Amino acid sequence: MDYVDNYVEGRTELDVVYEIMLKYGLDLTYPVDEFTIANKKVYSIGFGMLMICLDDEITTEVAKGILEKIKELAPESTRVVFKDNGFKTDSNKTNIKEILKSGGIEEFITI
């Protein structure tokens, strides 16, 4: 079965980012930085404590770029959140999860 878009029509990506922050108990005053990795928009919340990518066609290059950014920001711990239907295939999703895991990221979350 193809992935289903589970976002409410009319909501912006930043709306979803703030919702994720609330769900994880993060203060809405944390800085939200936006940058591009492999032509995909990635949000860094709280200097890398939460990384969010809600784009489609997420690649392993995005995961590797996120690891580089996390290394640069050096947070105590990091969660990474992706849009579940943003992965081209299940094997791509598994590969990205393993890349992040090998880089020390244990919290790989899809919404």
Side-chain angles (χ1 to χ4, degrees), residues 6 8 11-13 15 17-19 23 36-37 43 47 63 66 69 71 76 79 82 86 91-92 104 111:
N6 55 356
V8 176
R11 291 185 63 198
T12 67
E13 274 192 1
D15 291 339
V17 167
Y18 285 111
E19 180 182 340
K23 285 183 177 180
T36 303
I37 297 175
Y43 297 93
F47 305 105
I66 287 173
K69 195 67 169 174
K71 187 176 181 180
E76 286 185 31
R79 289 181 178 140
F82 293 102
S91 64
N92 192 27
I111 57 166

Side-chain angles (χ1 to χ4, degrees), residues 5 12 17 19-20 26 36 51 54 65 67 71 78 91 93 97 99 105:
D5 190 6
T12 67
V17 167
E19 180 182 340
I20 293 167
L26 298 178
T36 303
M51 305 291 280
L54 301 173
L67 285 177
K71 187 176 181 180
T78 302
S91 64
K93 179 179 176 180
K97 182 176 182 176
I99 288 169
I105 307 299

Side-chain angles (χ1 to χ4, degrees), residues 10-68:
R11 291 185 63 198
T12 67
E13 274 192 1
L14 274 178
D15 291 339
V16 176
V17 167
Y18 285 111
E19 180 182 340
I20 293 167
M21 289 173 66
L22 289 171
K23 285 183 177 180
Y24 288 105
L26 298 178
D27 194 328
L28 294 179
T29 60
Y30 280 133
V32 176
D33 298 312
E34 180 184 313
F35 50 93
T36 303
I37 297 175
N39 296 317
K40 305 297 180 190
K41 190 183 307 181
V42 177
Y43 297 93
S44 169
I45 292 84
F47 305 105
M49 71 169 35
L50 177 63
M51 305 291 280
I52 302 172
C53 181
L54 301 173
D55 277 349
D56 294 323
E57 303 290 324
I58 299 165
T59 64
T60 56
E61 287 76 24
V62 175
K64 291 173 186 174
I66 287 173
L67 285 177
E68 288 176 22

